[in-house]
């Protein structure tokens, strides 16, 4: 009987029950009951799919307990219910599970990876891409995190910063793919913002709203990716933009700048421009300077190089890009764009084609391939 396997599977099974509608405490109780059942049955009749077996049995035990609890509540009248102090009342089960999986015994990076896998539903490959590491490296990190928490109960919540990182990565994955995933990240971040006055929670909510407001214009009727400069801004959700700006301004007024506020400020400047030509690239560069100082993120430096190319000319952008690792995702695509703006279509076409071969999504690959084909056609003509 592999008790270590049972402990490893526990967080994932709890996550499944919560996503099906169980509250965290009931899900944990149901899974514990299922584990007891497994310890009794598995030695003589081990299942072919241990995780599936645990999910089935735990869900059945949850339903049995829920029916019993509902019957009891219907017989009672709550006359002196006292509200839960602080923010707990507003936290739904999914958000609570995010906090529980961000366990203090884990490093922030490991907690994020484990939560994305066990609760967020992302694949190991998706998480590895978000962290800019090989898939095998991320798989080892998640396995170590599971081993670390296998002997502890999830009765201590992690910190807000770790949960924010998870929500940010879930939103990014949803923003580039499944709309519902992005919407779920926004829903949970709204709850978190209602529970706390943490300025970075507000900054993340603003960032999500401002990006999500542009989603209707990001793809054409044929499913093709539409770059920001070419988007129909009449399709942007102005109500969501206004909300995002209001949330951001309130956060910035607290004068405790963080990375999500800085990113949201960049998004707000894009949203404020009536046309692509009216974009205030000088201010955007300044905000990226703040972001780089806060995080030293290679992705922030890459985006800054694009902004410098717009504000100070393509040569300046290429100079900023030259200081970055060419292996950085999107580095080649940015180089292609800046070379085209610098009047070098041959180099740009070659780089667009190279970037297309390493693109991680079909829409992005299609877009880059079409850019290369456009420039090659102009060179032949």
């Amino acid at each position: 009987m592999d008790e270590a396997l049972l402990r490893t599977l526990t967080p994932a099974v709890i996550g499944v029950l919560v996503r099906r509608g169980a509250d965290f405490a009931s899900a944990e109780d149901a899974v514990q009951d299922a584990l007891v059942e497994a310890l009794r049955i598995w030695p003589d009749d081990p299942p072919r799919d241990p995780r599936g077996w645990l999910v089935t049995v735990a869900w059945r035990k949850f339903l049995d307990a829920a029916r019993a609890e509902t019957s009891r509540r219907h017989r009672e009248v709550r006359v002196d219910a006292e509200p839960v102090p602080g923010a707990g009342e507003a936290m739904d089960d999914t958000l609570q599970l995010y906090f529980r999986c961000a366990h203090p015994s884990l490093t922030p990076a490991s907690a994020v990876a484990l939560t994305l896998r066990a609760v967020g539903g992302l694949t190991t490959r998706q998480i590895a891409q978000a962290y800019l590491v090989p898939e095998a490296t991320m798989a080892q990190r998640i396995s170590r995190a599971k081993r670390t928490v296998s002997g502890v109960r999830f009765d201590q919540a992690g910190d807000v910063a770790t949960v924010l990182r998870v929500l940010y990565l879930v939103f990014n994955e949803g923003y580039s793919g499944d709309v519902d995933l992005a919407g779920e990240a926004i829903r949970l971040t709204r709850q978190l913002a209602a529970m706390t006055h943490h300025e970075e929670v507000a900054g993340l909510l603003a960032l999500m709203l401002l990006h999500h407001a542009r989603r209707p214009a990001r793809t054409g009727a044929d499913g093709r990716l539409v770059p920001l400069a070419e988007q129909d801004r009449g399709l942007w959700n102005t109500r969501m933009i206004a909300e995002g700006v209001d949330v951001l301004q309130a956060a910035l007024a607290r004068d405790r700048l963080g990375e999500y506020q800085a990113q949201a400020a960049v998004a707000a400047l894009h949203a404020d421009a009536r046309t692509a030509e009216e974009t205030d690239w000088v201010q955007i560069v300044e905000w990226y300077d703040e972001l780089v100082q806060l995080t030293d993120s290679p992705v922030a430096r890459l985006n800054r190089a694009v902004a410098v190319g717009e504000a100070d000319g393509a040569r300046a952008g290429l100079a900023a890009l030259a200081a970055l690792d060419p292996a950085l995702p999107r580095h080649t695509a940015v180089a292609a764009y800046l070379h085209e703006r610098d009047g070098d279509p041959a180099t740009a076409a070659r780089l667009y084609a190279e970037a297309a071969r390493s693109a991680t999504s079909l829409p992005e690959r299609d877009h880059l391939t079409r850019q290369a084909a456009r420039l090659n056609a102009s060179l032949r003509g």
Side-chain angles (χ1 to χ4, degrees):
M1 181 65 199
D2 192 346
E3 295 186 28
L5 172 63
L6 291 176
R7 289 195 298 270
T8 300
L9 289 172
T10 296
V13 177
I14 291 174
V16 172
L17 266 62
V18 169
R19 290 196 294 275
R20 288 185 178 183
D23 64 88
F24 178 81
S26 299
E28 187 177 41
D29 289 343
V31 172
Q32 290 299 324
D33 289 342
L35 293 176
V36 172
E37 198 72 4
L39 289 170
R40 182 177 65 84
I41 294 174
W42 286 15
D44 298 323
D45 185 20
R48 283 179 294 180
D49 179 9
R51 183 179 182 276
W53 189 98
L54 284 174
V55 168
T56 299
V57 174
W59 182 245
R60 185 170 64 243
K61 289 184 177 296
F62 164 74
L63 291 177
D64 290 343
R67 280 192 288 266
E69 176 66 13
T70 299
S71 297
R72 184 190 65 79
R73 285 202 308 267
H74 285 169
R75 294 193 300 268
E76 297 178 353
V77 179
R78 300 167 72 181
V79 294
D80 59 348
E82 191 172 331
V84 178
E89 191 174 44
M91 184 189 294
D92 83 355
D93 302 321
T94 305
L95 187 57
Q96 185 181 58
L97 192 57
Y98 272 58
F99 271 96
R100 297 296 187 186
C101 284
H103 199 274
S105 63
L106 297 172
T107 65
S110 294
V112 169
L114 177 62
T115 312
L116 288 172
R117 187 72 186 91
V119 188
L122 274 64
T123 66
T124 303
R125 174 171 295 182
Q126 289 171 320
I127 302 169
Q129 290 171 348
Y131 270 93
L132 309 180
V133 299
E135 184 177 354
T137 300
M138 183 52 64
Q140 292 174 355
R141 184 179 300 177
I142 293 172
S143 295
R144 285 196 299 269
K146 289 179 178 179
R147 287 197 298 271
T148 299
V149 300
S150 62
V152 299
R153 287 177 59 85
F154 283 87
D155 54 0
Q156 291 180 275
D159 65 353
V160 172
T162 301
V163 174
L164 284 181
R165 184 64 180 167
V166 175
L167 290 169
Y168 174 73
L169 292 173
V170 169
F171 175 80
N172 280 348
E173 187 60 37
Y175 188 63
S176 61
D178 183 354
V179 182
D180 291 338
L181 198 58
E184 173 71 354
I186 292 174
R187 183 184 72 82
L188 294 173
T189 307
R190 280 189 188 279
Q191 286 190 7
L192 194 54
M195 292 161 45
T196 177
H197 294 295
H198 195 297
E199 54 282 343
E200 274 292 79
V201 176
L204 180 58
L205 177 59
L207 175 63
M208 289 178 173
L209 292 171
L210 290 164
H211 276 296
H212 208 59
R214 302 202 303 259
R215 188 176 183 91
R218 291 187 73 242
T219 53
D222 57 359
R224 290 183 175 183
L225 188 67
V226 180
L228 176 60
E230 300 172 19
Q231 289 178 11
D232 179 356
R233 300 185 178 218
L235 297 177
W236 291 0
N237 187 326
T238 55
R239 179 195 57 78
M240 194 175 291
I241 289 173
E243 181 187 0
V245 170
D246 287 344
V247 171
L248 173 62
Q249 288 177 339
L252 292 174
R254 300 172 200 167
D255 197 25
R256 295 182 62 183
L257 184 64
E259 61 174 303
Y260 300 120
Q261 295 169 75
Q263 290 184 62
V266 172
L269 286 168
H270 283 299
D272 187 55
R274 291 176 298 177
T275 65
E277 292 72 25
E278 294 178 67
T279 303
D280 190 341
W281 287 106
V282 173
Q283 273 204 68
I284 288 176
V285 171
E286 292 173 355
W287 277 112
Y288 274 124
D289 287 340
E290 294 279 4
L291 185 59
V292 167
Q293 187 173 353
L294 286 166
T295 67
D296 197 28
S297 162
V299 175
R301 290 183 180 276
L302 183 69
N303 290 333
R304 180 185 178 278
V306 176
V308 168
E310 299 288 355
D312 301 327
R315 292 284 175 90
L318 287 168
L321 187 66
L324 304 179
D325 183 355
L328 189 65
R330 291 185 56 246
H331 184 284
T332 307
V334 169
Y337 174 75
L338 291 172
H339 276 289
E340 181 181 359
R341 285 184 55 85
D342 194 40
D344 186 357
T347 299
R350 175 178 58 78
L351 291 172
Y352 274 129
E354 181 182 336
R357 289 192 291 271
S358 60
T360 57
S361 72
L362 288 176
E364 183 182 5
R365 185 178 306 166
D366 176 65
H367 171 71
L368 293 169
T369 300
R370 285 187 287 106
Q371 295 293 83
R374 172 180 57 81
L375 290 177
N376 282 326
S378 69
L379 289 169
R380 290 193 298 269

